């Protein structure tokens, strides 16, 4: 399936909540475009999701729904691999080996850890601290050249690069040093309830995000309530008009146009008219994805086959890397001279 002349991309997404339009515009939509030009590997990272508490039955349902939503968005199983992280044990195993080559100091600097640990009080899981090393393992197992993610993951991709370079230096060249890829628009969609904060699928305020599963009336209502400002004019200014600028960015993503084009279309509208336009554009963009999602969820055996076949293919690539690393580290090689 993979073409030797093409570079490799890998990306992951957590089944920590139903996907939002930020996950779609910031990540999944880019994957769909990139899969034509790269050997593409996508992973529903369930091991990452349990770094914060999850209800087992909910995690199980969400994991399969997340996979279906990725396929419904246009990931083509003929071109790309899509599997659950927990199906390929090499992810956990390489994570341990990399843990022993990573430093507490560099991990303690991770802003996502600092932000997420605040919410956990005195029950912060060790896994939450270790999250970026598992992410490095995900990436490095597949000789990944490019990692398409949203802006919030820059620091984690940088850490994966540092871990790869250090390992290559301490042992001998082993890992490909990956590069981050950030889409032009939509790489940082903000919360509708607080445009100072990024839109996040695990936000406790359901008005903060639009889910990819949300029906048209819910979408229209959430946009109606979106926080803006006390002016009346629609124009783009990321400093002064965070709420409106975020809506313009969402509109441009949903319509597939640039922000200046979106601004030109919407200038002169009242805030109420503008919000209605954004809602309609988003609902129109999600409509066909929701139809495909329902169809995929109604054929579980076919969906499971895609995930299992992909996991088999991923496992064979990942195990090769893992064996190479174990050998370099000095684990005993049976049958060697
Ligand atoms: P959680 O709230 O559980 O941390 P999340 O919504 O931040 O989840 P992730 O699963 O961590 O989403 O990220 C999946 C992908 O979506 C990543 O590539 C990430 O960069 C991208 N992404 C997440 N939030 C945004 C956002 N607000 N704008 C653009 N891209 C985003
Ligand atoms: N931490 C990522 C999800 C993720 C990921 C990866 C992304 C886990 N492993 C490997 C790219 C490559 C996030 O988006 N929050």
């Amino acid at each position: 399936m993979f073409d030797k002349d093409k570079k490799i991309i890998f990306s992951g997404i957590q089944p920590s909540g139903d996907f939002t339009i930020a996950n779609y515009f910031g990540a999944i939509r880019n994957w769909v475009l990139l899969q034509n030009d790269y050997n593409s590997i996508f992973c529903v990272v369930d091991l990452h999701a349990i770094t914060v508490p999850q209800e087992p039955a909910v995690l199980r349902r969400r994991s399969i729904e997340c996979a279906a939503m990725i396929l419904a968005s246009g990931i083509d199983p003929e071109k790309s691999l899509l599997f659950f992280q927990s199906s390929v044990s090499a992810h956990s195993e390489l994570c341990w080996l990399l843990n022993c080559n990573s430093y507490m100091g560099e991990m303690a600097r991770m802003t996502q850890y600092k932000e997420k640990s605040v919410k956990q009080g005195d029950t912060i899981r060790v896994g939450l601290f270790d999250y970026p090393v598992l992410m490095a393992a995900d990436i490095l197992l597949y000789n990944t050249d490019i990692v398409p993610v949203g802006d919030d993951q820059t620091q984690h991709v940088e850490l994966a690069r540092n871990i790869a370079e250090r390992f290559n230096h301490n042992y001998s060249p082993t890992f490909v040093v990956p590069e981050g890829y950030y889409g032009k628009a939509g790489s940082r969609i903000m919360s509708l309830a607080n445009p100072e904060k990024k839109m996040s699928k695990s936000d406790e305020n359901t008005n903060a995000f639009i889910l990819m599963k949300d029906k048209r009336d819910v979408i229209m209502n959430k946009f109606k309530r979106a926080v803006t400002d006390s002016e009346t004019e629609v124009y783009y200014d990321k400093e002064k008009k965070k709420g409106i600028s975020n809506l313009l960015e969402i509109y441009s993503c949903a319509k597939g146009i640039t922000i200046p084009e979106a601004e030109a279309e919407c200038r002169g509208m009242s805030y109420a008219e503008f919000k209605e336009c954004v809602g309609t554009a988003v609902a129109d963009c999600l409509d066909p994805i929701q139809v495909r999602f329902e169809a995929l969820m109604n054929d579980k055996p076919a969906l499971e086959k895609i995930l299992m076949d992909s996991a088999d293919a991923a496992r064979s690539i990942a195990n090769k890397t893992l064996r190479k690393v174990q050998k370099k580290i000095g684990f005993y090689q049976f049958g060697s001279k």
Side-chain angles (χ1 to χ4, degrees):
M1 175 167 139
F2 280 177
D3 178 344
K4 279 209 158 45
D5 298 329
K6 286 185 178 172
K7 288 193 168 182
I8 299 170
I9 60 172
F10 180 98
S11 198
I13 189 158
Q14 301 181 76
S16 48
D18 295 323
F19 291 162
T20 68
I21 52 168
N23 299 132
Y24 180 61
F25 294 137
I28 303 169
R29 196 183 50 153
N30 292 327
W31 303 354
V32 173
L33 298 173
L34 292 167
Q35 70 178 338
N36 296 316
D37 301 322
Y38 294 89
N39 292 325
S40 307
I41 309 176
F42 304 114
C43 192
V44 176
V45 291
D46 45 6
L47 299 172
H48 276 106
I50 61 163
T51 55
V52 297
Q54 300 290 344
E55 185 63 46
V58 177
L59 178 64
R60 204 169 289 127
R61 173 186 60 76
R62 273 210 193 114
S63 298
I64 193 80
E65 286 190 2
C66 287
M69 197 55 101
I70 293 170
L71 294 168
S73 302
I75 289 302
D76 177 353
E78 298 288 324
K79 294 183 186 154
S80 306
L81 298 182
L82 174 68
F83 61 98
F84 295 131
Q85 189 184 27
S86 59
S87 304
V88 179
S89 60
H91 289 249
S92 309
E93 295 177 62
L94 182 62
C95 177
W96 178 257
L97 304 181
L98 297 181
N99 274 336
C100 299
N101 286 279
S102 305
Y103 304 137
M104 296 294 285
E106 61 187 350
M107 301 293 292
R109 282 196 292 275
M110 296 291 119
T111 49
Q112 180 177 297
Y113 169 71
K114 290 188 212 161
E115 281 167 18
K116 289 203 173 179
S117 56
V118 175
K119 296 186 202 146
Q120 304 296 319
D122 50 7
T123 57
I124 305 165
R125 274 109 180 122
V126 176
L128 188 63
F129 187 68
D130 201 28
Y131 180 113
V133 179
L134 178 59
M135 177 161 160
D138 298 341
I139 297 168
L140 301 181
L141 275 174
Y142 298 98
N143 309 311
T144 306
D145 298 290
I146 288 162
V147 186
V149 277
D151 257 11
D152 59 323
Q153 296 300 312
T154 319
Q155 212 185 13
H156 289 164
V157 174
E158 199 50 42
L159 182 82
R161 287 170 58 84
N162 292 342
I163 292 176
E165 279 168 352
R166 185 182 311 137
F167 193 97
N168 290 347
H169 178 262
N170 289 348
Y171 295 93
S172 60
T174 308
F175 294 124
V176 173
V177 180
E179 266 174 49
Y181 171 99
Y182 309 92
K184 283 183 215 77
S187 70
R188 192 168 177 80
I189 302 286
M190 307 310 280
S191 152
L192 299 186
N194 175 4
E196 303 274 345
K197 242 175 63 176
K198 77 161 195 143
M199 185 181 285
S200 166
K201 64 171 117 69
S202 54
D203 201 310
E204 51 296 334
N205 178 0
T206 55
N207 284 320
F209 50 68
I210 305 285
L211 295 179
M212 292 182 75
K213 287 199 321 193
D214 279 344
K215 294 292 166 219
R216 189 172 288 265
D217 57 326
V218 175
I219 295 175
M220 300 308 283
N221 259 322
K222 285 187 181 176
F223 276 115
K224 217 179 261 173
R225 290 172 182 215
V227 170
T228 51
D229 53 55
S230 52
E231 289 188 4
T232 51
E233 239 187 294
V234 176
Y235 63 95
Y236 189 83
D237 184 329
K238 239 181 165 169
E239 287 313 307
K240 263 177 49 201
K241 294 175 77 72
K242 290 198 163 74
I244 291 290
S245 301
N246 187 41
L247 294 182
L248 275 167
E249 183 154 354
I250 292 173
Y251 183 74
S252 78
C253 287
K255 290 285 233 179
I257 57 177
T258 63
I259 290 176
E261 284 168 344
E263 205 178 14
E265 273 187 31
C266 302
R267 214 176 251 277
M269 289 182 187
S270 70
Y271 279 7
E273 284 168 331
F274 172 53
K275 285 173 163 184
E276 188 161 334
C277 256
V278 182
T280 305
V282 169
D284 288 349
C285 163
L286 294 178
D287 260 350
I289 299 177
Q290 293 179 353
V291 172
R292 287 195 294 269
F293 172 76
E294 289 305 327
L296 285 153
M297 286 303 291
N298 284 329
D299 190 356
K300 274 271 187 65
L303 185 53
E304 288 186 358
K305 184 166 181 340
I306 293 172
L307 292 162
M308 286 191 295
D309 288 352
S310 284
D312 289 344
R315 202 175 293 118
S316 92
I317 307 174
N319 282 344
K320 273 193 205 124
T321 308
L322 183 65
R323 300 293 163 249
K324 193 159 92 176
V325 174
Q326 289 171 330
K327 194 169 164 190
K328 299 248 174 142
I329 286 178
F331 293 163
Y332 188 78
Q333 304 289 301
F334 288 98
S336 64
K337 280 182 228 136

